[in-house]
Amino acid sequence: MKLLSILVPTFNRDSYLERLLCELSLQIKESDTSDIVEVLIADNASSDNTKSIVNSHLSGNSNFSAIRHSSNIGADSNLISLLESASGKFFWFIGDDDLPVAG
């Protein structure tokens, strides 16, 4: 069980998502929190480059996992799917277009 689950809902916002996932990856490495943090992405059936971006971050990064819905299930259900899949004691929803401040 992780201490913190960072939950990222997304739909057709590949350029924003790429920046966020790069930043989260960097901050997890720099803060040496890989043993206590997970990043879970829920793709609500995006038709842009989201799938390949997510897959590139899953490769070789055990902190990242993803859910890809086969059809758009709506924003609320996408959020619920993240909560149901999270393993952390605490969770943090972050928008795919948000960037956390370093540290």
Side-chain angles (χ1 to χ4, degrees), residues 43-99:
D43 179 8
N44 210 359
S46 296
S47 59
D48 61 2
N49 238 1
T50 296
K51 183 178 179 181
S52 63
I53 288 168
V54 170
N55 287 340
S56 72
H57 286 275
L58 294 177
S59 177
N61 193 338
S62 62
N63 294 83
F64 284 66
S65 59
I67 304 162
R68 179 166 168 82
H69 301 291
S70 58
S71 62
N72 189 318
I73 61 172
D76 291 344
S77 293
N78 199 29
L79 294 171
I80 291 168
S81 74
L82 282 165
L83 280 175
E84 291 175 342
S85 299
S87 67
K89 182 176 179 180
F90 302 99
F91 67 90
W92 172 28
F93 280 111
I94 186 167
D96 54 11
D97 62 343
D98 293 332
L99 288 175

Side-chain angles (χ1 to χ4, degrees), residues 3 18 31 38 40 45 53 68 82:
L3 181 62
E18 174 68 16
S31 63
E38 73 171 340
L40 182 57
I53 288 168
R68 179 166 168 82
L82 282 165

